[in-house]
Amino acid sequence: MDTRIIKIDDVAECGRELMTAGRVLRYGGIVAFPTETVYGLGANGFDEKACAHIYEVKGRPSDNPLILHVSGRDMVDTAVSHVTPMAEKLMAAFCPGPLTMILPRGKRVPDRITGGLDTVGIRMPDNDVARALIHSAGCPVAAPSANISGRPSPTTAESVLEDMDGRIPIILDGGPCRFGVESTIVDCTGEQGIVLRPGAITREMLEEVIGDVMIDPALSGADTVPRAPGMKYRHYAPKAPLTLIEGSPDKMADALRSEARRLIKEGHTVGIIASNESVHALSGIVPDELMASYGHQGDLRRIAAVLYEALRSFDRKPADVLLAEGTTDEGLGLAIMNRLHKASGFHSLHI
Ligand code: TXA
Ligand code: MG
């Protein structure tokens, strides 16, 4: 199959392309599309066969449910049995936006999507191309991130092509994604909100709207089973093993330097993913082409936006071990650290 990339610069001017892509979705095909978080691999969310095809294309374990993307409030009601008061508040505050709400599943949602759960994830993306596409398809669009299972999620159309070339007919190219990490997932079915996956809607932002939230304890360790089935897999991972360096920003450059020197002495080719400050301090020790700088220390928006492309870039480089600089776990830092922990398989060095 030929994979066609269709550039969408302006939604208003690309009505014909969006209509074609919407039709492909409605009649059972797969279309990759941009969202404000990462690129998604979309299929008609009410079409069991189309959704089964997504699992195949991604190589995704079948017990890992898909989330449904909607273009507006009316579509939410077609996919859930009811919207809980907590979800109403969250929708008013954050939708469209990088949030997925877990809600009681509606009758039309096939088993294939929910992995047999009686809940379903609902998300209204804040991206013109995504919403125009879903609107044109006229149905909720099931969409996991558009990567091969286990790899870092793609945040550009080029990265989607890298994983999906020859596997799907259409990739809509809307440019790089604004946030760069997947949506915050909140279980809205109980008394208290539970964050199942941290993202750009932070704990602090959620608590202003729905009061205290719980963070799924499984997110901070490798040994408990998380409530979002997908969070249990090794994920976001480059091919070379990665060690996460955690601790005070002042000590980072020194710690990375001495760890890199130690590994080089052992004969390793070391790759570095770190702040501009640390990358600067490592020059002369690690070659420039084996270092990816993710922005200034503490610039969380920037770190989130470039992190996955930095991880993916090492699959094209000869490094056989990777060191990554950690950041704070407050605000958006919680999402960044969660992805780095998973990319490292929870292998950290505390300084
Ligand atoms: O930002 C995002 O959410 C992106 C873009 C494309 O929208 N999508 C995305 O989908 O990250 P995916 O499939 O890669 O991740 C969805 C996560 C998985 O970890 C899955 O286990 C969890 O959501 N999930 C889906 N339905 C669930 C449910 N009913 N209960 C608990 N977790 C659920
Ligand atoms: Mg994913």
Side-chain angles (χ1 to χ4, degrees):
M1 176 189 301
D2 277 343
T3 301
R4 203 153 61 98
I5 296 195
I6 303 177
K7 181 105 188 110
I8 309 283
D9 286 323
D10 182 341
V11 165
E13 283 174 14
C14 297
R16 183 190 292 249
E17 288 84 349
L18 287 162
M19 203 129 88
T20 306
R23 209 174 296 131
V24 168
L25 279 180
R26 185 154 16 137
Y27 295 111
I30 293 185
V31 174
F33 62 96
T35 80
E36 78 279 33
T37 58
V38 301
Y39 274 73
L41 200 58
N44 181 340
F46 290 152
D47 180 337
E48 184 127 38
K49 236 168 105 191
C51 293
H53 195 193
I54 284 202
Y55 284 87
E56 227 173 88
V57 161
K58 258 184 84 86
R60 183 179 179 109
S62 60
D63 67 341
N64 190 2
L66 304 175
I67 59 183
L68 289 179
H69 296 64
V70 298
S71 53
R73 179 65 176 84
D74 292 355
M75 219 184 248
V76 176
D77 296 321
T78 67
V80 303
S81 78
H82 62 282
V83 175
T84 62
M86 183 191 303
E88 290 289 5
K89 286 189 198 158
L90 289 177
M91 257 194 281
F94 302 119
C95 293
L99 176 73
T100 296
M101 295 164 295
I102 303 298
L103 285 166
R105 158 190 179 181
K107 284 201 180 73
R108 291 182 67 188
V109 178
D111 279 338
R112 200 73 186 83
I113 286 208
T114 65
L117 297 173
D118 52 9
T119 54
V120 63
I122 302 290
R123 156 155 154 73
M124 195 187 296
D126 184 18
N127 176 291
D128 285 355
V129 178
R131 287 227 306 291
L133 174 71
I134 301 164
H135 182 75
S136 148
C139 56
V141 173
S145 48
N147 51 286
I148 299 279
S149 218
R151 297 203 72 204
S153 303
T155 59
T156 64
E158 291 74 29
S159 288
V160 177
L161 186 68
E162 204 174 83
D163 284 16
M164 294 298 154
D165 197 8
R167 295 172 186 243
I168 60 174
I170 297 177
I171 300 171
L172 297 183
D173 180 358
C177 300
R178 187 151 41 104
F179 289 108
V181 288
E182 302 85 347
S183 60
T184 306
I185 303 181
V186 181
D187 183 342
C188 301
T189 59
E191 285 295 306
Q192 190 182 18
I194 308 173
V195 175
L196 308 186
R197 178 176 70 184
I201 304 293
T202 62
R203 170 187 208 152
E204 294 81 354
M205 290 160 76
L206 293 168
E207 289 190 330
E208 269 184 34
V209 177
I210 55 170
D212 283 352
V213 300
M214 207 173 107
I215 306 284
D216 182 358
L219 297 183
S220 51
D223 41 359
T224 11
V225 178
R227 298 183 196 218
M231 297 302 278
K232 71 175 179 274
Y233 298 105
R234 182 163 186 261
H235 229 128
Y236 317 115
K239 287 172 189 153
L242 180 148
T243 301
L244 176 59
I245 316 278
E246 292 187 74
S248 148
D250 317 335
K251 297 190 193 144
M252 272 300 164
D254 280 347
L256 283 162
R257 228 178 356 225
S258 67
E259 192 55 13
R261 282 209 176 100
R262 188 183 70 75
L263 289 163
I264 291 166
K265 222 186 224 163
E266 284 180 6
H268 287 291
T269 305
V270 179
I272 303 282
I273 299 167
S275 63
N276 299 356
E277 289 81 358
S278 300
V279 162
H280 185 71
L282 279 157
S283 101
I285 300 170
V286 176
D288 286 351
E289 62 277 15
L290 292 181
M291 295 200 281
S293 58
Y294 60 36
H296 290 293
Q297 249 173 8
D299 184 354
L300 301 178
R301 285 296 285 257
R302 165 103 189 135
I303 298 174
V306 304
L307 181 64
Y308 285 150
E309 291 303 318
L311 289 170
R312 291 178 81 96
S313 73
F314 280 98
D315 289 346
R316 300 184 289 269
K317 295 178 183 177
D320 63 12
V321 289
L322 301 177
L323 299 175
E325 172 175 346
T327 184
T328 170
D329 52 18
E330 279 172 26
L332 182 54
L334 186 66
I336 295 168
M337 287 302 278
N338 167 257
R339 305 318 192 263
L340 282 170
H341 277 300
K342 296 196 56 156
S344 72
F346 292 92
H347 186 250
S348 292
L349 196 71
H350 295 266
I351 55 168

